Amino acid sequence: MTKNKFYVSTPIYYVNDAPHIGHAYTTILADVLSRFHRALGDDVFFLTGLDEHGQKVQQAAQARGLTPQAHCDDLAPRFSNLWTTLEISNDDFIRTTEVRHTRIVQDILQKVYDKGDIYQKEYEGLYSVAEERFITEKEAESGAFREVKSIKEKNYFFKMGKYQQRLIDYIESHPGLIQPEHRKNEMLGFLRQPLGDLCISRPKSRLAWGIEIPFDRDYVTYVWFDALINYISAIGYGSDEAKFSRWWPGVHLIGKDILTTHSIYWTTMLFALELPLPETIFAHGWWLMGESKMSKSLGNVVRPLDLIEQHGVDAVRYYLMAEMVLGNDANFTPENFIKRYNSDLANDFGNLLNRVSGLIGKYFDGIVPPAHDLSEADQAIMSQGAALYGKVRALLLDYKVDAAINEIMNLIRAVNKYMEMQAPWKLAKTDLVAAGRVLYVATEALRLSAALLRAVMPEKAARVLQILGAEDAGLSWGGLRAGTKLEAHSPLFPRIEVDKK
Ligand code: MSP
């Protein structure tokens, strides 16, 4: 039987940016989906990386008195180290200054040029230095663009407009391409206007830090045309056809601000290359602070490392995945973080572990008791537990990560209630067998929850399974074995006490 494959990418982040919670979010999301697909037995290729060309990099390097390459080499580890800290299980980390990428970008430019889809013309227009692209009069009037100047120069253009109708037809016949649905509609709306051609070069006299255009050495490649190609250069396009056909097409996870570049520029580039379009382009919302977007200039950027230091990696991963309804914006506040940590992780999940292991320790010498002749209440938990995997699977395959987590937490909460009702600590005094049965059912539900939370909290969930002696007990009900000795442990999620001062 051939295995299913799952190829997932994050955007490649600007090497100049200090990594923040927005970057961490997409990367953790890709990691959770990757880990889940691996648990399903699928073959997974998870790609992330860095976008290293363009004006801002050139300027920042100059300011530091470094060559742009030395500047990039110096900054790149800020991202790769963060991914290690965040337990990101990526299979590759591509940097657009690597030869394996630059060579392919040049091959592609030549190919598209030879095909007649790239031409040169003189162009006069308004250019936003901050955005590194030409903008329309209307965009300039909106005031949303900084450092706008009028520029007249010869450039190379990609015949994007030529593919407009084909793209509209494709989007309409492939509703899964752009998700969530409101983003698809936004793009179809955008495509109601005539689609112009895309300027894909910059004269070296203005910007030298880029990939040289192979058919005109006075120019470098526009940074987006270069960057988008990472999704295929990393998996062997033009260098390893077997690898490429193994993985392409895949799923691109992106933020909503880069939807147009992905669903219009990238798709039409793929049309020109006669390659299949991505399976899915999924745009998530923004993390906001209060009502505003996080940004360096506002000075409200949340640094993931600060949170990790205080509360641990898995708590941060859990919060980001549980709090954001995928596709919508979410509000980040430290208060929110603490509230969710205390309620979900300390009170519900952590507390259930403490309770069952404490009671099994006290009444059964730490050995998991057997469960026979289940009562109605036991059976209710058992059926909820047995159905959990199917529900979580369906939700995750539909990119509803927050809902999947909530489903797991619903089981945990139901088990905590069940424990209150059954009170095995009281039962133990009159009917030890019944108390054992309740503790088995509760512990097994906890085990299943932990097994499914592994994708979200790799370290803590694995620790729970280790404590329960059930690392490889599967995803169906009954994996926990009676007779297993539980490991002693300290609380996994100590409550965060808020200093009222
Ligand atoms: N280099 C381009 C992407 C090229 S992909 C071929 C780029 N880089 S970026 O570093 O600026 O941003 C990368 C991602 O971070 C985007 O998907 C963006 O949406 C995301 N985020 C930046 N700030 C964010 C929040 N405050 N919240 C959530 N994600 C946000 O764009």
Side-chain angles (χ1 to χ4, degrees), residues 10-15 17 20-23 25-26 51 79 224 227-231 253-258 262 284-288 293-295 324:
T10 73
I12 48 172
Y13 305 109
Y14 289 127
V15 66
D17 288 0
H20 60 63
I21 213 89
H23 306 123
Y25 176 74
T26 323
D51 194 348
F79 282 90
W224 270 102
L228 289 160
I229 290 173
N230 93 86
Y231 299 133
L253 302 176
I254 59 166
K256 64 179 182 182
D257 51 325
I258 54 175
H262 282 78
H284 64 70
W286 277 341
W287 281 97
L288 306 174
K293 193 188 173 204
M294 274 180 215
S295 83
M324 182 176 261

Side-chain angles (χ1 to χ4, degrees), residues 60-84:
Q62 242 160 20
R64 294 175 74 197
L66 292 174
T67 63
Q69 188 65 61
H71 171 73
C72 292
D73 292 346
D74 183 51
L75 293 185
R78 293 192 303 181
F79 282 90
S80 47
N81 292 341
L82 177 62
W83 303 152
T84 308

Side-chain angles (χ1 to χ4, degrees), residues 283-338:
H284 64 70
W286 277 341
W287 281 97
L288 306 174
M289 283 286 271
E291 293 307 304
S292 46
K293 193 188 173 204
M294 274 180 215
S295 83
K296 240 192 308 194
S297 47
L298 287 174
N300 63 354
V301 175
V302 176
R303 287 185 306 181
L305 285 174
D306 295 350
L307 282 177
I308 294 167
E309 257 166 46
Q310 290 164 28
H311 309 297
V313 173
D314 282 2
V316 173
R317 288 175 59 113
Y318 178 84
Y319 172 78
L320 292 178
M321 291 302 111
E323 189 76 14
M324 182 176 261
V325 176
L326 204 44
N328 298 352
D329 290 346
N331 221 313
F332 184 95
T333 65
E335 295 77 28
N336 243 340
F337 177 87
I338 293 174

